[in-house]
Amino acid sequence: MAKSIRAVMFDLDGTLLDTAPDFIVVVNQLLAEQQRPALAAETIRAGVSNGSKALIKLAFAIDESNEQFEPLRHRLLELYLAHIAVYTIPFPGINELLDKLADNNIAWGIATNKPATYTLPLMAALDIHPAPLSVICPDHVARSKPDPESLFLASKQLGCAPDEIIYIGDHKRDIDCGKGAGSITIAAAYGYVDEGDDPINWNADYCVNHANEIWPIIEKYL
């Protein structure tokens, strides 16, 4: 008999929210400022889950040893903060999923590597209901994902054991985090998966291609 689930935790970018449309705008805005040609939307979209450093590497083909790397990254984040929730929306099926969690008294939260400086204004702007009961950013832990510390902290905040949590993410680091915590893991193949990567290889307990496939999995643990 599977242990009952008491909470569901989501990665943010590429799992709960489709933030790529805003990143596409600001990456190309930064490229235009630097008199560089725009990148294809799908090229940017695939890299969003890897953070601002990865986006600068992608857009400018430079690494962190380049003296322009950090100034460009800081400018990207400045542009993003000004454009943080213009086009961002929950992925299809997420709002319905959150309603079902609430109807079944299952808490939900977020464990992300997106700093609180961006996560909290974004969540405030979207004003999702029911609201998350736990929002864990790298600012709140000593070791960010793939380390399981985020889920250990979430379990304390939500008043449940780590193995009573389902964790959903669109990157191997999310699945490694969940497995390290002893949580049930779901790979969100609908998210921002790097070209050449295959979520099947992340060794998650489950893999879904649409958020509407998540609830039937959760029902198994009620």
Short mmCIF file of all heavy atoms in Angstrom, two decimals, residues 91-120:
data_model
loop_
_atom_site.label_atom_id
_atom_site.label_comp_id
_atom_site.label_asym_id
_atom_site.label_seq_id
_atom_site.Cartn_x
_atom_site.Cartn_y
_atom_site.Cartn_z
N PHE A 91 0.86 26.82 -16.83
CA PHE A 91 0.72 25.90 -17.95
C PHE A 91 -0.73 25.39 -18.03
O PHE A 91 -1.42 25.31 -17.00
CB PHE A 91 1.67 24.71 -17.78
CG PHE A 91 3.05 24.98 -18.30
CD1 PHE A 91 4.06 25.38 -17.44
CD2 PHE A 91 3.34 24.85 -19.66
CE1 PHE A 91 5.33 25.64 -17.92
CE2 PHE A 91 4.61 25.11 -20.15
CZ PHE A 91 5.61 25.51 -19.27
N PRO A 92 -1.19 25.04 -19.21
CA PRO A 92 -2.54 24.47 -19.35
C PRO A 92 -2.73 23.29 -18.40
O PRO A 92 -1.88 22.41 -18.30
CB PRO A 92 -2.59 24.01 -20.81
CG PRO A 92 -1.61 24.92 -21.51
CD PRO A 92 -0.51 25.15 -20.52
N GLY A 93 -3.84 23.30 -17.69
CA GLY A 93 -4.16 22.22 -16.76
C GLY A 93 -3.72 22.49 -15.33
O GLY A 93 -4.20 21.81 -14.40
N ILE A 94 -2.85 23.47 -15.11
CA ILE A 94 -2.34 23.72 -13.75
C ILE A 94 -3.42 24.29 -12.84
O ILE A 94 -3.58 23.85 -11.69
CB ILE A 94 -1.11 24.66 -13.79
CG1 ILE A 94 0.11 23.93 -14.35
CG2 ILE A 94 -0.82 25.23 -12.40
CD1 ILE A 94 0.65 22.81 -13.48
N ASN A 95 -4.18 25.28 -13.31
CA ASN A 95 -5.22 25.86 -12.45
C ASN A 95 -6.23 24.81 -12.01
O ASN A 95 -6.64 24.78 -10.84
CB ASN A 95 -5.92 27.01 -13.17
CG ASN A 95 -5.06 28.26 -13.25
OD1 ASN A 95 -4.26 28.53 -12.36
ND2 ASN A 95 -5.20 29.01 -14.33
N GLU A 96 -6.62 23.93 -12.93
CA GLU A 96 -7.56 22.87 -12.59
C GLU A 96 -6.94 21.90 -11.59
O GLU A 96 -7.63 21.42 -10.66
CB GLU A 96 -7.98 22.13 -13.86
CG GLU A 96 -8.77 22.96 -14.87
CD GLU A 96 -7.93 23.83 -15.77
OE1 GLU A 96 -6.69 23.88 -15.60
OE2 GLU A 96 -8.51 24.47 -16.67
N LEU A 97 -5.66 21.63 -11.75
CA LEU A 97 -4.95 20.74 -10.82
C LEU A 97 -4.91 21.34 -9.42
O LEU A 97 -5.16 20.64 -8.43
CB LEU A 97 -3.53 20.48 -11.33
CG LEU A 97 -2.61 19.68 -10.42
CD1 LEU A 97 -3.18 18.30 -10.13
CD2 LEU A 97 -1.22 19.56 -11.04
N LEU A 98 -4.63 22.62 -9.32
CA LEU A 98 -4.57 23.27 -8.00
C LEU A 98 -5.94 23.25 -7.33
O LEU A 98 -6.03 23.08 -6.11
CB LEU A 98 -4.06 24.71 -8.14
CG LEU A 98 -2.64 24.87 -8.68
CD1 LEU A 98 -2.25 26.34 -8.74
CD2 LEU A 98 -1.62 24.08 -7.85
N ASP A 99 -7.00 23.41 -8.11
CA ASP A 99 -8.35 23.33 -7.55
C ASP A 99 -8.62 21.93 -6.99
O ASP A 99 -9.22 21.77 -5.91
CB ASP A 99 -9.39 23.67 -8.61
CG ASP A 99 -9.44 25.15 -8.94
OD1 ASP A 99 -8.96 25.96 -8.12
OD2 ASP A 99 -9.94 25.50 -10.04
N LYS A 100 -8.20 20.89 -7.71
CA LYS A 100 -8.40 19.52 -7.25
C LYS A 100 -7.60 19.25 -5.98
O LYS A 100 -8.08 18.55 -5.07
CB LYS A 100 -8.02 18.53 -8.35
CG LYS A 100 -9.03 18.48 -9.48
CD LYS A 100 -8.60 17.50 -10.57
CE LYS A 100 -9.63 17.44 -11.68
NZ LYS A 100 -9.22 16.58 -12.81
N LEU A 101 -6.39 19.80 -5.91
CA LEU A 101 -5.60 19.64 -4.68
C LEU A 101 -6.33 20.26 -3.50
O LEU A 101 -6.42 19.65 -2.43
CB LEU A 101 -4.22 20.29 -4.86
CG LEU A 101 -3.28 19.65 -5.88
CD1 LEU A 101 -1.99 20.44 -5.98
CD2 LEU A 101 -2.98 18.20 -5.52
N ALA A 102 -6.86 21.47 -3.71
CA ALA A 102 -7.59 22.14 -2.63
C ALA A 102 -8.83 21.34 -2.23
O ALA A 102 -9.12 21.19 -1.03
CB ALA A 102 -7.98 23.55 -3.07
N ASP A 103 -9.56 20.81 -3.20
CA ASP A 103 -10.77 20.04 -2.91
C ASP A 103 -10.46 18.80 -2.09
O ASP A 103 -11.34 18.27 -1.38
CB ASP A 103 -11.45 19.62 -4.22
CG ASP A 103 -12.08 20.80 -4.96
OD1 ASP A 103 -12.26 21.86 -4.34
OD2 ASP A 103 -12.36 20.64 -6.16
N ASN A 104 -9.21 18.30 -2.20
CA ASN A 104 -8.81 17.09 -1.49
C ASN A 104 -7.89 17.37 -0.30
O ASN A 104 -7.25 16.46 0.22
CB ASN A 104 -8.14 16.13 -2.46
CG ASN A 104 -9.13 15.48 -3.41
OD1 ASN A 104 -9.68 14.44 -3.11
ND2 ASN A 104 -9.38 16.11 -4.56
N ASN A 105 -7.85 18.63 0.12
CA ASN A 105 -7.05 19.05 1.28
C ASN A 105 -5.58 18.67 1.16
O ASN A 105 -4.94 18.26 2.13
CB ASN A 105 -7.63 18.47 2.57
CG ASN A 105 -9.03 19.01 2.86
OD1 ASN A 105 -9.24 20.21 2.81
ND2 ASN A 105 -9.96 18.12 3.13
N ILE A 106 -5.05 18.78 -0.05
CA ILE A 106 -3.63 18.53 -0.29
C ILE A 106 -2.94 19.88 -0.46
O ILE A 106 -3.31 20.68 -1.32
CB ILE A 106 -3.41 17.67 -1.55
CG1 ILE A 106 -4.10 16.31 -1.38
CG2 ILE A 106 -1.92 17.49 -1.83
CD1 ILE A 106 -4.13 15.49 -2.65
N ALA A 107 -1.96 20.15 0.38
CA ALA A 107 -1.22 21.41 0.30
C ALA A 107 -0.35 21.43 -0.95
O ALA A 107 0.04 20.39 -1.48
CB ALA A 107 -0.34 21.58 1.54
N TRP A 108 -0.04 22.65 -1.43
CA TRP A 108 0.90 22.73 -2.55
C TRP A 108 1.87 23.87 -2.30
O TRP A 108 1.61 24.80 -1.54
CB TRP A 108 0.17 22.88 -3.88
CG TRP A 108 -0.35 24.25 -4.21
CD1 TRP A 108 -1.54 24.80 -3.82
CD2 TRP A 108 0.30 25.25 -5.01
NE1 TRP A 108 -1.68 26.06 -4.32
CE2 TRP A 108 -0.57 26.36 -5.06
CE3 TRP A 108 1.51 25.31 -5.69
CZ2 TRP A 108 -0.25 27.54 -5.76
CZ3 TRP A 108 1.83 26.47 -6.39
CH2 TRP A 108 0.97 27.56 -6.42
N GLY A 109 3.03 23.75 -2.97
CA GLY A 109 4.05 24.77 -2.83
C GLY A 109 5.02 24.75 -3.99
O GLY A 109 4.84 24.01 -4.96
N ILE A 110 6.04 25.56 -3.88
CA ILE A 110 7.03 25.75 -4.94
C ILE A 110 8.43 25.58 -4.37
O ILE A 110 8.74 26.12 -3.29
CB ILE A 110 6.91 27.17 -5.54
CG1 ILE A 110 5.55 27.34 -6.25
CG2 ILE A 110 8.06 27.48 -6.49
CD1 ILE A 110 5.18 28.79 -6.48
N ALA A 111 9.26 24.81 -5.05
CA ALA A 111 10.69 24.71 -4.73
C ALA A 111 11.44 25.04 -6.02
O ALA A 111 11.42 24.26 -6.97
CB ALA A 111 11.05 23.33 -4.22
N THR A 112 12.09 26.19 -6.04
CA THR A 112 12.68 26.71 -7.27
C THR A 112 14.12 27.18 -7.03
O THR A 112 14.48 27.54 -5.91
CB THR A 112 11.84 27.88 -7.83
OG1 THR A 112 12.47 28.41 -9.00
CG2 THR A 112 11.69 29.01 -6.81
N ASN A 113 14.91 27.20 -8.10
CA ASN A 113 16.23 27.82 -8.05
C ASN A 113 16.17 29.27 -8.51
O ASN A 113 17.21 29.91 -8.66
CB ASN A 113 17.23 27.03 -8.90
CG ASN A 113 17.81 25.84 -8.16
OD1 ASN A 113 17.51 25.62 -6.99
ND2 ASN A 113 18.65 25.06 -8.83
N LYS A 114 14.98 29.79 -8.74
CA LYS A 114 14.80 31.19 -9.12
C LYS A 114 14.86 32.04 -7.84
O LYS A 114 14.12 31.79 -6.89
CB LYS A 114 13.42 31.36 -9.78
CG LYS A 114 13.17 32.68 -10.49
CD LYS A 114 11.70 32.72 -10.91
CE LYS A 114 11.41 33.73 -11.99
NZ LYS A 114 11.67 33.21 -13.34
N PRO A 115 15.76 33.02 -7.77
CA PRO A 115 15.90 33.81 -6.54
C PRO A 115 14.59 34.48 -6.12
O PRO A 115 13.72 34.79 -6.97
CB PRO A 115 16.96 34.85 -6.90
CG PRO A 115 17.77 34.20 -7.99
CD PRO A 115 16.78 33.40 -8.78
N ALA A 116 14.46 34.71 -4.83
CA ALA A 116 13.24 35.32 -4.29
C ALA A 116 12.97 36.70 -4.89
O ALA A 116 11.82 37.12 -5.01
CB ALA A 116 13.35 35.41 -2.77
N THR A 117 14.01 37.42 -5.28
CA THR A 117 13.88 38.74 -5.89
C THR A 117 12.94 38.70 -7.10
O THR A 117 12.26 39.69 -7.40
CB THR A 117 15.26 39.27 -6.34
OG1 THR A 117 16.10 39.34 -5.19
CG2 THR A 117 15.16 40.63 -6.98
N TYR A 118 12.91 37.57 -7.79
CA TYR A 118 12.07 37.42 -8.98
C TYR A 118 10.85 36.54 -8.71
O TYR A 118 9.76 36.81 -9.22
CB TYR A 118 12.90 36.84 -10.13
CG TYR A 118 14.19 37.61 -10.30
CD1 TYR A 118 15.39 37.11 -9.78
CD2 TYR A 118 14.20 38.86 -10.89
CE1 TYR A 118 16.56 37.83 -9.87
CE2 TYR A 118 15.38 39.60 -10.99
CZ TYR A 118 16.56 39.08 -10.47
OH TYR A 118 17.71 39.80 -10.54
N THR A 119 11.03 35.51 -7.89
CA THR A 119 9.92 34.60 -7.61
C THR A 119 8.77 35.30 -6.90
O THR A 119 7.60 35.15 -7.29
CB THR A 119 10.41 33.41 -6.75
OG1 THR A 119 11.39 32.68 -7.48
CG2 THR A 119 9.26 32.49 -6.37
N LEU A 120 9.07 36.07 -5.87
CA LEU A 120 8.00 36.65 -5.06
C LEU A 120 7.21 37.72 -5.82
O LEU A 120 5.97 37.70 -5.77
CB LEU A 120 8.58 37.19 -3.75
CG LEU A 120 9.27 36.13 -2.86
CD1 LEU A 120 9.76 36.73 -1.56
CD2 LEU A 120 8.34 34.94 -2.59
#
